[in-house]
Amino acid sequence: MHAANLLIDYYDRLPASIAACVDDLEPVRSDIGFSPGYHLPALDADVERFLSVATARWEPLGEYGEH
């Protein structure tokens, strides 16, 4: 069974995905609102260690009849 870390494997695609969901990537720190911002850090050993729990894998669901 193959397990993959989808955040690390597709880290280079995350900026485009984030940009498609938010209007402004910059952080907002004001009295009227807050946003942490969406700029990603460089993918180094520390970031990989932080993201290491985000794994996905295929699991068999079992069989039904002839399938």
Side-chain angles (χ1 to χ4, degrees), residues 6-7 12 14 17 29 31 40 42 44-45 49-50 54-55 60 67:
L6 301 177
L7 292 176
D12 61 323
L14 288 177
S17 298
R29 297 177 198 103
D31 294 337
L40 298 175
D44 61 12
R49 189 171 31 259
F50 178 78
T55 58
H67 304 281

Side-chain angles (χ1 to χ4, degrees), residues 18-44:
I18 293 168
C21 297
V22 299
D23 294 328
D24 190 359
L25 300 177
E26 296 302 319
V28 174
R29 297 177 198 103
S30 71
D31 294 337
I32 59 171
F34 171 79
S35 170
Y38 295 94
H39 292 285
L40 298 175
L43 186 59
D44 61 12

